[in-house]
Amino acid sequence: MTWEPVIGLEVHVHLKTRTKMFCRCRVGFGAEPNTQTCPVCLAFPGALPVVNRTAVEWTIKLGLALGCDIAEHAVFSRKNYFYFDNPKGYQISQYDLPFCISGKVILPTAEGDRVIGIVRAHLEEDAAKTVHVGGRTGRIRGAEHSIVDFNRGGTPLVEIVTAPDIRSAEEAKRFLQLLRQTIVELGISDAEMEKGTLRVDANVSVREVGSSELRTRTELKNMNSFTFVARGIDAEIARQIAVWESGAEVRQETYDFDATTGALTPHRAKEEADDYRYFPEPDLVPIEPPADLVERLRSELPEQPAARIRRLESELDLERATVLVTGGLDRLWGDAVAAGAEKIAAANVIANTIVGAGLDPAAVSAQELARLVDARERLPRAAFDEAISKLADPGFSAEPYLAQEAVSDESELEPIVARVLEASPGQVDAYRSGKEGLLGFFVGQVLKETGGKANPRVVSELIRERLDS
Ligand SMILES: [Zn+2]
């Protein structure tokens, strides 16, 4: 039987408001532990919450970007649970009346547009950060003791829940890249997994292709990059298929994915959903977003990344368009092309070299980039790489680098090529008997001999001429 994965995602995003969700403590990453707290977020008796207006507006804005309906009447609810990251004994969240429902995200793929449903997006406060010290896994089981940092407690957090519409680990990764870029462009969060400002849980099940049943699902937690999310999902799909095919049944469980070993270990859930005893938060009134506010926020939405991918695809191809848009690089690409750079070459240089050099695309001069893209085959590799690494420096000029043309003169290069080939008879024989990958080795040797100044394209042609004859 052929199996089909059924995947839904729950994504938590920290909003980068100046202050917390229900108090005026600063929101921040990296401050001394327990320095950004007050009676409200530490739950002193009698302290009362006040809603952060910006957080509400940003949640609505995100909902609109995800194609959601915005509730006319939204309610905060208490989600009751006991744990030491939660001093109130409950988290203020949303339950049956969230701000945003019934949206959809268009995911451009080679097989056409895929539509991923958004069940809801709601606003809540984050719990404090706990660190489990000692023990092997960094988890509470086996730890010697645990410490709590309440700085994070009370940070505005949006939870986005997708429908189980995702059909592969790769699709989950692409969806997350697109969602992240949407969030970043709205200016509401940095959405960085490594800093914990974007967190992803995946619900995974499998079924027979063509069936519409929903079998028992499991939940994957603690995956700290999109690549690990994809790997974790793939591992869980394989595990579930093996369980079903052995005649056993998949049990509803939560797993931690360990990226270093690839292992899935069962995770002890705090409590089941039914035990949260949700009820409307008595210290806050319901919120009814006025229609003119919603329309103003709608009018402020930037063009969607998915639409830009489709637009760029007609000039490049889907893969390059996706890399540029989800990397926030498409504006730089457009400016470089407008400044005269060739489209594909500019896309490749931006996606490979500029990202590799860790440059801020907003600081790069498109004009100078275009000149380098144009000259890339004439410049020695070392000079080109150095120029790229300095592109974001204020006042950068490509001029001094453009003066260092690579050596393309065949009469100058031929004796060096001959010397390199004579020095490696073994590799020459291997190349002639079919190991064509060795071409790169020979080119590298010639570049080394010339201190990186030879034009690799010309060198590679000269070597081919000699070896293929
Ligand atoms: Zn506070």
Side-chain angles (χ1 to χ4, degrees), residues 231-289:
R231 265 193 232 161
I233 290 173
D234 269 335
E236 178 57 12
I237 291 168
R239 191 192 68 83
Q240 288 189 14
I241 291 174
V243 168
W244 289 119
E245 290 190 342
S246 75
E249 297 216 332
V250 168
R251 293 195 323 184
Q252 183 159 1
E253 248 176 319
T254 302
Y255 288 89
D256 284 318
F257 177 67
D258 184 335
T260 46
T261 61
L264 294 159
T265 48
H267 174 103
R268 200 169 293 170
K270 287 175 196 169
E271 273 172 64
E272 291 304 315
D274 293 340
D275 296 332
Y276 286 130
R277 295 182 295 115
Y278 281 98
F279 61 85
E281 167 60 58
D283 290 335
L284 294 170
V285 294
I287 295 182
E288 304 192 328

Short mmCIF file of all heavy atoms in Angstrom, two decimals, residues 231-289:
data_model
loop_
_atom_site.label_atom_id
_atom_site.label_comp_id
_atom_site.label_asym_id
_atom_site.label_seq_id
_atom_site.Cartn_x
_atom_site.Cartn_y
_atom_site.Cartn_z
N ARG A 231 13.55 17.11 8.71
CA ARG A 231 14.15 15.81 9.06
C ARG A 231 13.32 15.07 10.09
O ARG A 231 13.12 13.86 10.01
CB ARG A 231 15.56 16.02 9.61
CG ARG A 231 16.59 15.88 8.53
CD ARG A 231 17.96 15.78 9.18
NE ARG A 231 18.82 16.76 8.56
CZ ARG A 231 19.94 17.20 9.09
NH1 ARG A 231 20.34 16.77 10.27
NH2 ARG A 231 20.67 18.07 8.45
N GLY A 232 12.83 15.81 11.09
CA GLY A 232 12.01 15.20 12.14
C GLY A 232 10.74 14.61 11.54
O GLY A 232 10.34 13.49 11.86
N ILE A 233 10.09 15.36 10.63
CA ILE A 233 8.86 14.87 10.01
C ILE A 233 9.15 13.62 9.18
O ILE A 233 8.43 12.63 9.26
CB ILE A 233 8.23 15.98 9.14
CG1 ILE A 233 7.67 17.09 10.03
CG2 ILE A 233 7.12 15.41 8.26
CD1 ILE A 233 7.18 18.31 9.26
N ASP A 234 10.24 13.65 8.42
CA ASP A 234 10.59 12.48 7.62
C ASP A 234 10.82 11.25 8.49
O ASP A 234 10.37 10.15 8.17
CB ASP A 234 11.85 12.76 6.78
CG ASP A 234 11.50 13.33 5.41
OD1 ASP A 234 10.37 13.06 4.92
OD2 ASP A 234 12.33 14.04 4.82
N ALA A 235 11.51 11.46 9.62
CA ALA A 235 11.78 10.34 10.52
C ALA A 235 10.48 9.80 11.10
O ALA A 235 10.28 8.58 11.21
CB ALA A 235 12.71 10.79 11.65
N GLU A 236 9.55 10.70 11.45
CA GLU A 236 8.29 10.26 12.05
C GLU A 236 7.39 9.56 11.01
O GLU A 236 6.71 8.59 11.34
CB GLU A 236 7.57 11.47 12.68
CG GLU A 236 6.22 11.16 13.30
CD GLU A 236 6.26 10.08 14.39
OE1 GLU A 236 7.35 9.71 14.84
OE2 GLU A 236 5.17 9.60 14.75
N ILE A 237 7.41 10.06 9.77
CA ILE A 237 6.63 9.39 8.72
C ILE A 237 7.12 7.95 8.55
O ILE A 237 6.33 7.00 8.52
CB ILE A 237 6.76 10.16 7.37
CG1 ILE A 237 6.04 11.51 7.46
CG2 ILE A 237 6.20 9.33 6.22
CD1 ILE A 237 6.35 12.45 6.30
N ALA A 238 8.44 7.80 8.49
CA ALA A 238 9.03 6.46 8.31
C ALA A 238 8.66 5.56 9.49
O ALA A 238 8.31 4.39 9.32
CB ALA A 238 10.54 6.56 8.15
N ARG A 239 8.73 6.13 10.71
CA ARG A 239 8.40 5.34 11.91
C ARG A 239 6.96 4.87 11.88
O ARG A 239 6.65 3.70 12.11
CB ARG A 239 8.65 6.18 13.17
CG ARG A 239 8.61 5.38 14.48
CD ARG A 239 8.56 6.28 15.71
NE ARG A 239 7.29 7.02 15.79
CZ ARG A 239 6.18 6.51 16.31
NH1 ARG A 239 6.17 5.28 16.79
NH2 ARG A 239 5.06 7.22 16.33
N GLN A 240 6.04 5.79 11.54
CA GLN A 240 4.61 5.42 11.54
C GLN A 240 4.29 4.37 10.47
O GLN A 240 3.53 3.45 10.72
CB GLN A 240 3.75 6.66 11.31
CG GLN A 240 3.72 7.58 12.53
CD GLN A 240 2.68 8.70 12.38
OE1 GLN A 240 1.82 8.65 11.53
NE2 GLN A 240 2.79 9.70 13.23
N ILE A 241 4.89 4.53 9.28
CA ILE A 241 4.62 3.55 8.23
C ILE A 241 5.08 2.17 8.70
O ILE A 241 4.38 1.17 8.54
CB ILE A 241 5.32 3.97 6.91
CG1 ILE A 241 4.64 5.21 6.35
CG2 ILE A 241 5.28 2.82 5.90
CD1 ILE A 241 5.32 5.81 5.13
N ALA A 242 6.27 2.13 9.35
CA ALA A 242 6.78 0.85 9.84
C ALA A 242 5.85 0.26 10.89
O ALA A 242 5.60 -0.95 10.91
CB ALA A 242 8.20 1.04 10.41
N VAL A 243 5.30 1.12 11.76
CA VAL A 243 4.38 0.62 12.80
C VAL A 243 3.13 0.01 12.17
O VAL A 243 2.75 -1.12 12.46
CB VAL A 243 3.98 1.77 13.77
CG1 VAL A 243 2.82 1.33 14.66
CG2 VAL A 243 5.17 2.20 14.62
N TRP A 244 2.51 0.76 11.24
CA TRP A 244 1.28 0.25 10.59
C TRP A 244 1.58 -1.03 9.82
O TRP A 244 0.81 -1.99 9.87
CB TRP A 244 0.68 1.30 9.65
CG TRP A 244 0.05 2.48 10.31
CD1 TRP A 244 0.43 3.78 10.16
CD2 TRP A 244 -1.06 2.50 11.21
NE1 TRP A 244 -0.36 4.61 10.92
CE2 TRP A 244 -1.30 3.86 11.57
CE3 TRP A 244 -1.88 1.52 11.76
CZ2 TRP A 244 -2.32 4.25 12.44
CZ3 TRP A 244 -2.90 1.91 12.62
CH2 TRP A 244 -3.10 3.25 12.96
N GLU A 245 2.70 -1.05 9.10
CA GLU A 245 2.99 -2.21 8.25
C GLU A 245 3.35 -3.45 9.08
O GLU A 245 3.22 -4.57 8.59
CB GLU A 245 4.08 -1.88 7.23
CG GLU A 245 3.54 -0.89 6.20
CD GLU A 245 4.44 -0.68 5.00
OE1 GLU A 245 5.63 -1.00 5.09
OE2 GLU A 245 3.93 -0.17 3.98
N SER A 246 3.78 -3.22 10.34
CA SER A 246 4.07 -4.38 11.20
C SER A 246 2.79 -4.93 11.80
O SER A 246 2.81 -5.91 12.54
CB SER A 246 5.03 -3.96 12.31
OG SER A 246 4.31 -3.20 13.29
N GLY A 247 1.66 -4.27 11.53
CA GLY A 247 0.39 -4.75 12.07
C GLY A 247 0.02 -4.09 13.39
O GLY A 247 -1.05 -4.34 13.94
N ALA A 248 0.89 -3.25 13.92
CA ALA A 248 0.59 -2.56 15.18
C ALA A 248 -0.14 -1.25 14.88
O ALA A 248 -0.47 -0.96 13.73
CB ALA A 248 1.87 -2.30 15.95
N GLU A 249 -0.42 -0.48 15.92
CA GLU A 249 -1.11 0.80 15.75
C GLU A 249 -0.26 1.95 16.26
O GLU A 249 0.44 1.81 17.27
CB GLU A 249 -2.43 0.79 16.54
CG GLU A 249 -3.42 -0.25 16.06
CD GLU A 249 -4.85 0.25 16.16
OE1 GLU A 249 -5.10 1.12 17.05
OE2 GLU A 249 -5.69 -0.20 15.37
N VAL A 250 -0.33 3.07 15.58
CA VAL A 250 0.36 4.28 16.05
C VAL A 250 -0.39 4.79 17.26
O VAL A 250 -1.62 4.83 17.25
CB VAL A 250 0.41 5.34 14.93
CG1 VAL A 250 0.85 6.68 15.47
CG2 VAL A 250 1.32 4.88 13.80
N ARG A 251 0.34 5.15 18.30
CA ARG A 251 -0.31 5.71 19.48
C ARG A 251 -0.15 7.22 19.51
O ARG A 251 0.87 7.75 19.07
CB ARG A 251 0.28 5.10 20.75
CG ARG A 251 -0.04 3.62 20.89
CD ARG A 251 0.23 3.17 22.29
NE ARG A 251 1.42 3.85 22.81
CZ ARG A 251 1.95 3.60 23.99
NH1 ARG A 251 1.41 2.70 24.77
NH2 ARG A 251 3.03 4.24 24.40
N GLN A 252 -1.15 7.90 20.03
CA GLN A 252 -1.07 9.35 20.11
C GLN A 252 -0.04 9.75 21.16
O GLN A 252 -0.22 9.47 22.35
CB GLN A 252 -2.44 9.95 20.45
CG GLN A 252 -2.37 11.47 20.45
CD GLN A 252 -3.74 12.11 20.28
OE1 GLN A 252 -4.74 11.44 20.17
NE2 GLN A 252 -3.74 13.43 20.25
N GLU A 253 1.05 10.35 20.72
CA GLU A 253 2.13 10.67 21.64
C GLU A 253 2.85 11.93 21.16
O GLU A 253 2.71 12.32 20.01
CB GLU A 253 3.13 9.52 21.68
CG GLU A 253 3.13 8.81 23.02
CD GLU A 253 4.05 7.59 23.04
OE1 GLU A 253 4.09 6.84 22.06
OE2 GLU A 253 4.72 7.43 24.05
N THR A 254 3.62 12.52 22.06
CA THR A 254 4.44 13.66 21.68
C THR A 254 5.89 13.22 21.70
O THR A 254 6.31 12.50 22.60
CB THR A 254 4.23 14.82 22.68
OG1 THR A 254 2.85 15.15 22.69
CG2 THR A 254 5.03 16.04 22.28
N TYR A 255 6.63 13.61 20.66
CA TYR A 255 8.03 13.22 20.56
C TYR A 255 8.93 14.45 20.49
O TYR A 255 8.58 15.45 19.89
CB TYR A 255 8.27 12.39 19.29
CG TYR A 255 7.69 11.00 19.36
CD1 TYR A 255 6.39 10.76 18.95
CD2 TYR A 255 8.45 9.94 19.85
CE1 TYR A 255 5.84 9.50 19.02
CE2 TYR A 255 7.90 8.67 19.93
CZ TYR A 255 6.61 8.45 19.52
OH TYR A 255 6.08 7.19 19.59
N ASP A 256 10.11 14.31 21.09
CA ASP A 256 11.17 15.28 20.86
C ASP A 256 12.06 14.73 19.78
O ASP A 256 12.43 13.56 19.81
CB ASP A 256 12.02 15.46 22.13
CG ASP A 256 11.32 16.30 23.18
OD1 ASP A 256 10.71 17.32 22.78
OD2 ASP A 256 11.35 15.94 24.35
N PHE A 257 12.40 15.59 18.82
CA PHE A 257 13.33 15.16 17.77
C PHE A 257 14.72 15.63 18.14
O PHE A 257 14.95 16.81 18.36
CB PHE A 257 12.91 15.75 16.42
CG PHE A 257 13.86 15.40 15.30
CD1 PHE A 257 13.99 14.09 14.88
CD2 PHE A 257 14.62 16.39 14.69
CE1 PHE A 257 14.88 13.77 13.86
CE2 PHE A 257 15.50 16.07 13.65
CZ PHE A 257 15.63 14.76 13.24
N ASP A 258 15.67 14.70 18.22
CA ASP A 258 17.05 15.06 18.51
C ASP A 258 17.81 15.17 17.19
O ASP A 258 18.07 14.17 16.53
CB ASP A 258 17.68 14.00 19.42
CG ASP A 258 19.10 14.38 19.83
OD1 ASP A 258 19.75 15.16 19.09
OD2 ASP A 258 19.56 13.91 20.88
N ALA A 259 18.14 16.42 16.83
CA ALA A 259 18.71 16.65 15.50
C ALA A 259 20.09 16.01 15.34
O ALA A 259 20.47 15.62 14.24
CB ALA A 259 18.81 18.15 15.25
N THR A 260 20.84 15.87 16.44
CA THR A 260 22.19 15.33 16.29
C THR A 260 22.17 13.82 16.04
O THR A 260 22.97 13.31 15.27
CB THR A 260 23.06 15.65 17.53
OG1 THR A 260 22.30 15.34 18.69
CG2 THR A 260 23.48 17.10 17.54
N THR A 261 21.21 13.13 16.67
CA THR A 261 21.18 11.67 16.49
C THR A 261 20.07 11.25 15.52
O THR A 261 20.07 10.12 15.05
CB THR A 261 20.90 10.97 17.83
OG1 THR A 261 19.60 11.40 18.29
CG2 THR A 261 21.94 11.32 18.86
N GLY A 262 19.13 12.16 15.25
CA GLY A 262 18.00 11.81 14.40
C GLY A 262 16.97 10.97 15.14
O GLY A 262 16.04 10.44 14.54
N ALA A 263 17.14 10.83 16.47
CA ALA A 263 16.23 9.96 17.23
C ALA A 263 14.98 10.70 17.68
O ALA A 263 15.01 11.90 17.94
CB ALA A 263 16.97 9.42 18.46
N LEU A 264 13.89 9.96 17.78
CA LEU A 264 12.63 10.50 18.30
C LEU A 264 12.43 9.90 19.68
O LEU A 264 12.39 8.68 19.83
CB LEU A 264 11.48 10.11 17.39
CG LEU A 264 11.49 10.70 15.97
CD1 LEU A 264 10.63 9.87 15.04
CD2 LEU A 264 10.99 12.13 16.00
N THR A 265 12.33 10.77 20.70
CA THR A 265 12.09 10.21 22.03
C THR A 265 10.77 10.74 22.58
O THR A 265 10.45 11.91 22.42
CB THR A 265 13.21 10.61 23.02
OG1 THR A 265 13.43 12.02 22.89
CG2 THR A 265 14.50 9.88 22.72
N PRO A 266 9.96 9.85 23.20
CA PRO A 266 8.66 10.28 23.73
C PRO A 266 8.86 11.39 24.76
O PRO A 266 9.81 11.38 25.53
CB PRO A 266 8.10 9.03 24.38
CG PRO A 266 8.83 7.91 23.75
CD PRO A 266 10.20 8.42 23.42
N HIS A 267 7.94 12.33 24.75
CA HIS A 267 8.03 13.55 25.54
C HIS A 267 6.85 13.49 26.49
O HIS A 267 5.75 13.18 26.07
CB HIS A 267 7.90 14.71 24.55
CG HIS A 267 7.82 16.07 25.13
ND1 HIS A 267 8.87 16.93 25.13
CD2 HIS A 267 6.78 16.74 25.68
CE1 HIS A 267 8.50 18.08 25.66
NE2 HIS A 267 7.25 17.99 26.01
N ARG A 268 7.11 13.76 27.76
CA ARG A 268 5.98 13.69 28.68
C ARG A 268 5.17 14.97 28.59
O ARG A 268 5.64 16.05 28.92
CB ARG A 268 6.48 13.46 30.11
CG ARG A 268 5.39 12.91 31.02
CD ARG A 268 5.95 12.44 32.34
NE ARG A 268 6.83 11.28 32.20
CZ ARG A 268 7.58 10.83 33.19
NH1 ARG A 268 7.58 11.44 34.36
NH2 ARG A 268 8.34 9.78 33.02
N ALA A 269 3.96 14.86 28.09
CA ALA A 269 3.11 16.05 27.94
C ALA A 269 2.70 16.57 29.31
O ALA A 269 2.54 15.80 30.25
CB ALA A 269 1.87 15.70 27.13
N LYS A 270 2.61 17.91 29.42
CA LYS A 270 2.21 18.50 30.70
C LYS A 270 0.81 18.02 31.09
O LYS A 270 0.56 17.54 32.16
CB LYS A 270 2.21 20.02 30.61
CG LYS A 270 3.60 20.62 30.56
CD LYS A 270 3.50 22.12 30.33
CE LYS A 270 4.84 22.70 29.90
NZ LYS A 270 4.70 24.07 29.41
N GLU A 271 -0.11 18.20 30.20
CA GLU A 271 -1.48 17.77 30.46
C GLU A 271 -2.19 17.61 29.13
O GLU A 271 -1.73 18.08 28.12
CB GLU A 271 -2.24 18.84 31.27
CG GLU A 271 -2.06 18.72 32.77
CD GLU A 271 -2.68 19.92 33.47
OE1 GLU A 271 -3.90 20.08 33.37
OE2 GLU A 271 -1.93 20.68 34.07
N GLU A 272 -3.31 16.97 29.15
CA GLU A 272 -4.10 16.86 27.93
C GLU A 272 -4.96 18.12 27.76
O GLU A 272 -5.28 18.80 28.71
CB GLU A 272 -5.00 15.62 27.99
CG GLU A 272 -4.22 14.32 27.91
CD GLU A 272 -3.34 14.23 26.67
OE1 GLU A 272 -3.84 14.58 25.57
OE2 GLU A 272 -2.17 13.85 26.78
N ALA A 273 -5.33 18.39 26.51
CA ALA A 273 -6.07 19.61 26.19
C ALA A 273 -7.33 19.75 27.06
O ALA A 273 -7.64 20.84 27.53
CB ALA A 273 -6.45 19.62 24.73
N ASP A 274 -8.00 18.66 27.30
CA ASP A 274 -9.27 18.72 28.02
C ASP A 274 -9.10 19.15 29.47
O ASP A 274 -10.05 19.54 30.14
CB ASP A 274 -9.95 17.35 28.00
CG ASP A 274 -10.37 16.98 26.60
OD1 ASP A 274 -10.48 17.88 25.76
OD2 ASP A 274 -10.57 15.78 26.36
N ASP A 275 -7.89 19.06 29.96
CA ASP A 275 -7.68 19.36 31.37
C ASP A 275 -7.38 20.83 31.63
O ASP A 275 -7.16 21.21 32.76
CB ASP A 275 -6.51 18.53 31.90
CG ASP A 275 -6.82 17.05 31.86
OD1 ASP A 275 -8.02 16.70 31.94
OD2 ASP A 275 -5.89 16.26 31.72
N TYR A 276 -7.36 21.66 30.59
CA TYR A 276 -6.97 23.05 30.79
C TYR A 276 -8.07 23.91 31.42
O TYR A 276 -7.82 25.01 31.85
CB TYR A 276 -6.53 23.69 29.46
CG TYR A 276 -5.17 23.22 28.98
CD1 TYR A 276 -4.99 22.77 27.67
CD2 TYR A 276 -4.07 23.24 29.82
CE1 TYR A 276 -3.74 22.35 27.23
CE2 TYR A 276 -2.81 22.83 29.38
CZ TYR A 276 -2.66 22.39 28.08
OH TYR A 276 -1.42 21.99 27.65
N ARG A 277 -9.28 23.42 31.45
CA ARG A 277 -10.41 24.14 32.05
C ARG A 277 -10.42 25.61 31.60
O ARG A 277 -10.39 26.54 32.40
CB ARG A 277 -10.35 24.07 33.60
CG ARG A 277 -10.54 22.66 34.13
CD ARG A 277 -10.52 22.64 35.64
NE ARG A 277 -9.24 23.04 36.19
CZ ARG A 277 -9.04 24.12 36.92
NH1 ARG A 277 -10.04 24.92 37.20
NH2 ARG A 277 -7.83 24.41 37.35
N TYR A 278 -10.46 25.81 30.30
CA TYR A 278 -10.52 27.18 29.77
C TYR A 278 -11.77 27.89 30.27
O TYR A 278 -12.85 27.28 30.35
CB TYR A 278 -10.64 27.13 28.24
CG TYR A 278 -9.35 26.88 27.50
CD1 TYR A 278 -9.02 25.60 27.06
CD2 TYR A 278 -8.50 27.93 27.16
CE1 TYR A 278 -7.86 25.38 26.34
CE2 TYR A 278 -7.34 27.72 26.45
CZ TYR A 278 -7.02 26.44 26.03
OH TYR A 278 -5.88 26.22 25.31
N PHE A 279 -11.63 29.14 30.60
CA PHE A 279 -12.82 29.99 30.80
C PHE A 279 -12.43 31.42 30.50
O PHE A 279 -11.24 31.77 30.56
CB PHE A 279 -13.42 29.83 32.21
CG PHE A 279 -12.50 30.22 33.34
CD1 PHE A 279 -12.41 31.55 33.77
CD2 PHE A 279 -11.75 29.25 33.99
CE1 PHE A 279 -11.58 31.90 34.82
CE2 PHE A 279 -10.91 29.60 35.05
CZ PHE A 279 -10.82 30.93 35.45
N PRO A 280 -13.40 32.29 30.15
CA PRO A 280 -13.08 33.67 29.76
C PRO A 280 -12.34 34.39 30.88
O PRO A 280 -12.72 34.27 32.06
CB PRO A 280 -14.44 34.30 29.50
CG PRO A 280 -15.33 33.15 29.18
CD PRO A 280 -14.84 31.99 30.02
N GLU A 281 -11.29 35.12 30.52
CA GLU A 281 -10.47 35.85 31.49
C GLU A 281 -11.33 36.94 32.15
O GLU A 281 -11.77 37.88 31.49
CB GLU A 281 -9.28 36.46 30.74
CG GLU A 281 -8.49 37.50 31.50
CD GLU A 281 -7.89 36.98 32.79
OE1 GLU A 281 -7.13 36.00 32.74
OE2 GLU A 281 -8.20 37.56 33.85
N PRO A 282 -11.58 36.82 33.45
CA PRO A 282 -12.48 37.78 34.10
C PRO A 282 -11.87 39.18 34.28
O PRO A 282 -12.61 40.14 34.49
CB PRO A 282 -12.76 37.14 35.47
CG PRO A 282 -11.63 36.21 35.70
CD PRO A 282 -11.14 35.76 34.37
N ASP A 283 -10.53 39.30 34.16
CA ASP A 283 -9.90 40.60 34.35
C ASP A 283 -9.77 41.40 33.06
O ASP A 283 -9.19 42.49 33.06
CB ASP A 283 -8.50 40.42 34.97
CG ASP A 283 -8.59 39.94 36.42
OD1 ASP A 283 -9.63 40.19 37.06
OD2 ASP A 283 -7.63 39.31 36.88
N LEU A 284 -10.26 40.86 31.94
CA LEU A 284 -10.17 41.59 30.66
C LEU A 284 -11.52 41.58 29.96
O LEU A 284 -12.21 40.56 29.97
CB LEU A 284 -9.14 40.93 29.75
CG LEU A 284 -7.67 40.98 30.20
CD1 LEU A 284 -6.82 40.08 29.32
CD2 LEU A 284 -7.14 42.41 30.17
N VAL A 285 -11.85 42.70 29.34
CA VAL A 285 -13.12 42.73 28.58
C VAL A 285 -12.86 42.14 27.19
O VAL A 285 -11.72 42.14 26.71
CB VAL A 285 -13.66 44.18 28.43
CG1 VAL A 285 -14.07 44.73 29.77
CG2 VAL A 285 -12.63 45.08 27.76
N PRO A 286 -13.93 41.64 26.53
CA PRO A 286 -13.78 41.17 25.14
C PRO A 286 -13.32 42.33 24.25
O PRO A 286 -13.54 43.50 24.58
CB PRO A 286 -15.19 40.73 24.76
CG PRO A 286 -15.88 40.47 26.05
CD PRO A 286 -15.29 41.44 27.03
N ILE A 287 -12.67 42.00 23.14
CA ILE A 287 -12.19 43.04 22.23
C ILE A 287 -12.98 42.95 20.92
O ILE A 287 -13.13 41.86 20.35
CB ILE A 287 -10.69 42.88 21.96
CG1 ILE A 287 -9.93 43.13 23.27
CG2 ILE A 287 -10.20 43.84 20.87
CD1 ILE A 287 -8.44 43.05 23.17
N GLU A 288 -13.52 44.09 20.48
CA GLU A 288 -14.27 44.12 19.22
C GLU A 288 -13.55 45.06 18.26
O GLU A 288 -13.76 46.27 18.30
CB GLU A 288 -15.71 44.56 19.50
CG GLU A 288 -16.35 43.64 20.55
CD GLU A 288 -17.85 43.81 20.69
OE1 GLU A 288 -18.34 44.94 20.50
OE2 GLU A 288 -18.52 42.79 20.99
N PRO A 289 -12.68 44.51 17.41
CA PRO A 289 -11.87 45.37 16.53
C PRO A 289 -12.78 46.15 15.58
O PRO A 289 -13.57 45.54 14.86
CB PRO A 289 -11.00 44.38 15.75
CG PRO A 289 -11.06 43.10 16.54
CD PRO A 289 -12.39 43.09 17.21
#
